[in-house]
Structures are given as structure tokens and as C-alpha cells.
Amino acid sequence: MERHLKPDPSPRLAAVLHRAAALLTDTDDAEHHFRTALEDPATDCWPFEKALARLDFGEWLRRRRRSAEARPHLNAALECFQRLDARPWANRTAAELRAAGAPAGTAATPASELTAQERQIAGLAAQGLTNRDIAARLYLSPRTVGYHLHKIFPKLGIRARAQLRDALSRDPQQ
């Protein structure tokens, strides 16, 4: 693959090629390729690709029972994915961090801040039920349901009832 490229690829292309080589090799050369992909400061211009390399390297280290070495890479990847709002990647990285023995609080999601009752109300509202219907099911007043929804929206970072379903589906605990 590399032999068809010009002799001096750009830093971005070199990092992508080293990451690919690391993923494709069955030997311990993978570590060298991961480190090479991550060491060039010029690749900081592409944070998503660098975070992918950190995630892959962290997974590789953890699977070789080197969890303590994996956690810094996974934490850096998680921070980047959260900053970029790349939720599927952040969820995958958070799961990998938990598998590497990181504290459970490391990968908090907005929906995890909801109380049990708020989560229940949000779920019913996401299904399209009105405040009155939710109140009847949960033996609450419609005003109480409205109050809870008023508290739920900022916690989930949404502004409209129509966004509830998507906000709740981003939570891996649901």
C-alpha cells in the first residue's frame, strides 16, 4: 500500500498509514506503528483522527493486559470525542475505559444525571404522551410532570420535546 505513494507523505497521511498498519498487523510491530502515528505534533490539526488512533492503541494495550498504559490514551480519546460531540465514539471509548478499570464516573452522559422519575417521565414524553397522559400513568399532576420536564431539558441539553427521543437514545444505559 505504501509503495504506491510518493516517498514523503504528509503528516496526516503518514499517521493514517501507521494506524492502518498497526490495525492490520498481528505482531508486536503494532505498538511501534501506533506510537509513530501519535507522536507527530503536526497531527494535532486533525483531532478526530488522532483520537481514533488513541482509542485503537488503548484497545490494543488493554487486550494485552496493559490496562494502566491504556487508560491515558483512552481518557485523551474520550475527552476529544466529547469535545467534538462524537457520541458513538465517546460511548465506545467510555466502555473501553470501564473495561480497562477506570472509575465509573469517568464516562458520565447527560442522561445519567436524570433521577429515576425524570428518566421515566422523559421516556414517556419521548414516546409522544402528553403531560396529562404521563400524569395519569404515574399518579402525578400534569403540573408536576411539566416541572420535571422543565428540569430535564437543560440536563439533556435540548430545547424541545421532539428532541427527547434522540437525547435519550444517546445514553448507553437506556
Side-chain angles (χ1 to χ4, degrees), residues 128-174:
L129 275 68
T130 65
N131 287 8
R132 185 171 298 236
D133 294 337
I134 296 168
R137 281 198 186 183
L138 301 179
Y139 303 105
L140 300 170
S141 75
R143 281 184 70 154
T144 302
V145 172
Y147 169 77
H148 282 295
L149 286 170
H150 180 72
K151 288 175 46 181
I152 291 168
F153 284 18
K155 287 183 180 181
L156 295 178
I158 61 174
R159 293 177 166 229
R161 197 177 188 111
Q163 296 173 304
L164 272 171
R165 184 178 46 97
D166 292 335
L168 293 175
S169 69
R170 293 189 296 248
D171 184 23
Q173 298 171 350
Q174 293 285 321

Side-chain angles (χ1 to χ4, degrees), residues 11-12 39-46 50:
R12 182 181 190 185
E39 72 185 8
D40 190 349
T43 60
D44 290 343
C45 296
W46 300 282
K50 192 157 194 163

Side-chain angles (χ1 to χ4, degrees), residues 50-64:
K50 192 157 194 163
L52 286 175
R54 287 186 182 281
L55 170 60
D56 291 335
F57 189 32
E59 288 175 337
W60 185 87
L61 287 168
R62 188 188 66 78
R63 283 173 177 72
R64 279 152 187 76

Side-chain angles (χ1 to χ4, degrees), residues 4 36 93:
H4 298 297
T36 304
T93 307

Side-chain angles (χ1 to χ4, degrees), residues 2 14-15 17-19 21-23 25 27-40 57 60-61 66:
E2 288 182 46
L17 290 173
H18 279 289
R19 178 175 165 248
L23 292 172
T25 187
T27 66
D28 286 336
D29 288 342
E31 184 170 2
H32 165 74
H33 287 293
F34 278 126
R35 292 195 186 280
T36 304
L38 292 169
E39 72 185 8
D40 190 349
F57 189 32
W60 185 87
L61 287 168
R66 295 164 59 184

